Amino acid sequence: MGKILSTVDEEIGRLTAFLIEKQQQDGSWHFCFENGIVIDAYVIILFRVLNVQNEPLIRKLHDRILDRQQQGGFWALYPDEEEGNLSATVEAYYGLLYSGYSVVTDEPIRRAKHYIRSKGGLGKVTSILTKVILAATGQRKWPLSITSIPLEVLLFPNYFPINFFEFSGYSRVHLTPMLIMADRRFSITTAHAPDLSDLKDPRLDVDDEPLPRGYQEMQDDIQIGLSRLLGTPRYIHEAASTKAEQFLLQRIESDGTLYSYASSTILMILALLAMDYDQQHPIITQAIQGTTAMQCRSEGKTTMQNSPSTVWDTALIAYALQEAGIADEHVSIRRAGSYLLSRQQHKIADWSIHNQNTVPGGWGFSESNTINPDVDDTTAALRAIQSLSNTSPTYQESWNRGLNWVLTMQNKDGGWPAFEKNTNKEMLTWLAIDGAKSAAIDPSEADLTGRTLEYLGNFAGLDARHEFIKRGRKWLIQHQEKDGSWYGRWGVCYIYGTWAALTGLRATGLPASHEALQKGAEWLLSIQNLDGGWGESCQSDRLMRYVPLMESTPSQTAWALDALISVQQQATPAVDQGILRLITSLHEDDWKSTYPTGAGLPGNFYSHYHSYRYIWPLLTLSHYRKKYEGS
C-alpha cells in the first residue's frame, strides 16, 4: 500500500505542476475539443462557397482530413469503427475536393470514392447534417425529413402538443436554419464545386428514407396546428419566415456565432444567404470570423472545434487541483475563480421558457456562450468556487445564484436535464431524422442527475432530508439497467453513467451497502480489463448496450476507479491494479490516449477532450489518496 501511495503522490505532483504551468494569464485553460473531421470539412465547403480568402486555414484543414483517412479508404468516427462511417467519408471526400488541394485522380480520393459507392452512395448517408450540407450546396434534393416540417411550426402556440420550444435548444438552433433553407429549396454552388453525381446509385432514390414509428401521427398534429393559425396562407407564411429570421438574429453571440456552435453557425450563414442577405453582410462576415476563431492546433495539425471547451475545462481543472491539495489562496485557483466569476450568465434566455421566474446564474460550455447555460457546466463551476465562496461575499453571491439555478432546473420526474427542463415529448423523437431521439429532446439523464447529486451532497451539504434530493435519488435508482449499470448521455457511455450515478448516490448519503450501489460496483468489476483498466467503445450509445473496447483508456479507467473508491471502504486488489494501470497510461501516447470518450450525438458525433487525460486521473488519484491514505 505504501509503495502505491508514494507512486500516487508522485503522479499527483506531476499532474498538478503540469496543469498549473498550462494556465493562461486570464485564469482559464485552453485544451482542444476535438470533434473528428466533420466541422473541418464543413468549413472548407463554406469558405469555398463564399470565396473566403483564408488559404492557409483551408490547406491545414485539408491536410488534417487527409491524414485521418483509414487504410480501407474511409473515415471513421472512432478507431474501432472498423467498417468506417459513410457520412463522415462523404464529408471528407467533398471537403477535400472542394479545397482544391486534392483531385479526383489522387489515390486517396479514388479509394474514398470506391468505399462510398460500395456502401450505396449518397443515398445511404444517414447524418442529417451531411444531407443538409449536400442539399444546400446543390449536390442532392432537400431531404423529406426536413421539407415535411413546415416553417409555420414556429408559430404554433406553447400550449399546442407540437410547438417549437418543446424541441431541445440544441435542436432548435440547428433546425431553424434548416427549415428556412428547405422552405426555399435553397442551394448555392460555384464554378469550382466538385461534381458528386457519380456517387449516387441510380437504383436508389436519395429521398427514400424510412419513416419512424408515429411519424404520421406527428404529421397529423402538424396539420391540425396549421389549420388553427389565423390569416391567409401567404400572411401566415411571411410571419413564420420573419419569426425564423428573428429567432436566429436574437441568438447570435458577441463573437458572431449562433449559440456558440460552429455547426449551427455554418447553417445560419447558409440560411441568411437563402433569405437574400449579401455575402458581405456584417452578420455573415462576423459569423465567419467567429467560426474561424474556433480553430485549434494540436500535434502539428489544425482542426475546427464545434464549441471550444474553455469554461468546462477551467471549472474542472480548478476543482481537480483543489481536490489534489492546492489551496484556495493559491494564485492559480484565484485566477481561475476570477475567470469563472466573469463567465457566470446573467441573462434571461431560452432556458427560462420552461423555468419561469428564476434568477439567472448558470454557466455555459464555451467562452463566448452567454445565453445557453447548462446544468453540468454550472455544477462544475460551483465545485471550483466553493472554497472561495466561504470567505468572499462576491463568490458567495455567485454561489447562491448558481445553486438556486441548478435546483430550479430539476425535471418533474426528479432527474436533471442538460439545458432546459421538462422538454421530453416523445412525439418529437418521431422525426424522420437520424439521431432525433437524442437531439430533439433534453430529458433527464443518469450522468447529469448523478453529477448534480454529487455536487449537492459533497459541496452543498444536502441529503435525503430534502425532497429534491429524494426525488433525484429515486429517479436514478429507477433508471439503473438490469446489469447494474447506468447509461450516460454525454460521455462514453455506461462506464460514464455508472460513475456519475454511484458517486452521486453516495454523496447524498445512500449507504454503500444499498443494492443499487452494490450492483453498480459489481458491474464495473465484471468489465475490468486484464491489464487493470477500463475501456468502452463508442458503439455503446448506438447499440444502447455496453460494448467493450478491449483496451483501457485513461478517462474511462479513472471514472470506473472513482466510482469504486466512492463505495469501497478499503482499497481492494482490483482498485490497486486499476490505479497502477491508470498511472502507466498517463505516460503512454497512442490511440488509447486519444480515443473519443465525450459523446455528442449517437452514431454521428463524438469528442476527444484533450484535457480529459489529465483531469479525471488527477481527481481519481486524489480521491484514492484521501480515502485510503491512513488505512
Side-chain angles (χ1 to χ4, degrees), residues 72-91:
F74 55 75
W75 280 259
L77 299 177
Y78 42 89
D80 55 321
E81 193 177 27
E82 293 171 358
E83 294 186 7
N85 187 278
L86 178 59
S87 296
T89 303
V90 168
E91 290 160 350

Side-chain angles (χ1 to χ4, degrees), residues 40-86:
D40 298 352
Y42 292 167
V43 166
I44 290 174
I45 295 162
L46 179 74
F47 281 14
R48 286 302 188 222
V49 163
L50 297 181
N51 194 28
V52 174
Q53 299 299 307
N54 194 336
E55 221 52 43
L57 178 58
I58 291 172
R59 183 60 197 253
K60 288 171 186 171
L61 296 177
H62 164 276
D63 292 351
R64 179 178 180 271
I65 293 172
L66 194 60
D67 184 64
R68 290 300 182 97
Q69 188 177 29
Q70 304 297 303
Q71 212 164 11
F74 55 75
W75 280 259
L77 299 177
Y78 42 89
D80 55 321
E81 193 177 27
E82 293 171 358
E83 294 186 7
N85 187 278
L86 178 59

Side-chain angles (χ1 to χ4, degrees), residues 1-12 621 624-626 628-631:
M1 184 66 167
K3 187 177 181 183
I4 291 180
L5 277 170
S6 65
T7 307
V8 166
D9 282 339
E10 186 180 324
E11 199 60 28
I12 289 172
L621 294 173
Y624 177 91
R625 179 173 68 181
K626 192 177 293 185
Y628 302 135
E629 194 168 29
S631 58

